[in-house]
Amino acid sequence: MNNPASLARGVAPAGPGTLHARSVTGAIKVAPRPGLTIRFGRGERPDTDLAVGDDDLRVSRRHGELTYRAHQWWLRNTGRQLVRLPHGRLMHSSSEPLPLATGYTPLFVKGSGFREHLVELYVTGHDQPGLVPRRQAATLPPRIWPLDDDERLLLVVLGQHYLLYEDGPRPLSYRRAAAQLAYLHPEANWSERRIEHKIKDVRLRLQNAGFPHPLLHDRAMGTPSDNNLLHNLLKGLVESTTLVPPDLELMED
């Protein structure tokens, strides 16, 4: 049975805690019940409830399971290969079970060679309305973070590789940024010291305003490098469209 639709687009109305799971070969919908366990993998029923990678010998016959307890579905990897979750998180068979949040969660089962097998999961929440067409509703805009002209120019120079949508971009060094800024605006007295202070001011202001990525050192968790914090800043500004590719024209003055 082929299932071309994706759970990412939502699910039909269902009771809170209902688990929807889909692979390329099947789909299931299960109401929550304490102690209930749903299994997915290469095997067949009754040992496996959802077929995943049924032609791939690297996928275990019972590769993972979802158990309902403490009012949540808990995911566990029971296979030999890794399971990859959003944000690059990996689960090994020795990993602790992970509670699923309500809404959509895609996961990928590592297979043979470069193959990865998608398993889509969707848990209905208490306030989940299901599929409700909203074609005429106004589009919700992204949150744009306030920057003054000097901050925008500085961040465009530091984040030019992000604005080119390069693979694995990193910030320009303060030294290279100072050299480019001195060429663009020699009268502005850009220096590494001035760049450092201005970036610290932006990080502090946006962190206090609810920026989605960490921008300050967390002494309790260890001290990340400033370069990683600058990466978080540039990544978040590009993702929110606060900085957009046309901003690169600021470097052509």
Side-chain angles (χ1 to χ4, degrees), residues 159-203:
Q160 56 193 270
H161 297 299
Y162 297 76
L163 290 170
L164 292 169
Y165 296 155
E166 294 180 0
D167 187 25
R170 297 301 298 178
L172 222 62
S173 69
Y174 286 174
R175 178 176 298 178
R176 290 184 61 193
Q180 289 193 16
L181 288 163
Y183 176 79
L184 292 170
H185 296 283
E187 75 287 351
N189 296 319
W190 284 102
S191 64
E192 293 181 57
R193 186 79 170 177
R194 184 185 177 199
I195 290 173
E196 180 182 359
H197 284 300
K198 191 163 284 290
I199 290 299
K200 283 184 177 179
D201 289 343
V202 173
R203 282 170 30 205

Side-chain angles (χ1 to χ4, degrees), residues 68-233:
Y68 191 78
R69 58 181 171 84
H71 307 290
Q72 282 184 296
W73 288 98
W74 294 77
L75 170 67
R76 188 163 73 96
N77 181 2
T78 57
R80 295 192 175 187
Q81 294 275 34
L82 295 174
V83 170
R84 179 168 61 87
L85 293 100
H87 308 297
R89 182 168 186 171
L90 298 175
M91 288 192 75
H92 183 259
S93 58
S94 62
S95 301
E96 291 293 322
L98 178 71
L100 288 183
T102 56
Y104 179 68
T105 302
L107 59 87
F108 296 86
V109 176
K110 173 69 176 171
S112 302
F114 294 102
R115 297 182 70 186
E116 286 189 318
H117 303 277
L118 171 65
V119 179
E120 293 186 295
L121 305 172
Y122 196 109
V123 178
T124 307
H126 287 274
D127 57 350
Q128 176 63 37
L131 288 172
V132 179
R134 305 182 69 183
R135 295 185 180 91
Q136 301 302 318
T139 301
L140 295 176
R143 180 172 182 179
I144 305 299
W145 302 92
L147 301 172
D148 65 29
D149 290 343
D150 280 349
E151 292 169 347
R152 181 173 297 275
L153 173 62
L154 171 58
L155 289 162
V156 167
V157 171
L158 288 169
Q160 56 193 270
H161 297 299
Y162 297 76
L163 290 170
L164 292 169
Y165 296 155
E166 294 180 0
D167 187 25
R170 297 301 298 178
L172 222 62
S173 69
Y174 286 174
R175 178 176 298 178
R176 290 184 61 193
Q180 289 193 16
L181 288 163
Y183 176 79
L184 292 170
H185 296 283
E187 75 287 351
N189 296 319
W190 284 102
S191 64
E192 293 181 57
R193 186 79 170 177
R194 184 185 177 199
I195 290 173
E196 180 182 359
H197 284 300
K198 191 163 284 290
I199 290 299
K200 283 184 177 179
D201 289 343
V202 173
R203 282 170 30 205
L204 178 61
R205 186 178 77 242
L206 297 192
Q207 177 80 23
N208 291 336
F211 201 74
H213 304 297
L215 297 179
L216 300 178
H217 297 296
D218 187 343
R219 304 296 179 183
M221 300 297 293
T223 305
S225 69
D226 282 346
N227 203 47
N228 287 337
L229 298 177
L230 179 55
H231 168 76
N232 289 347
L233 173 62

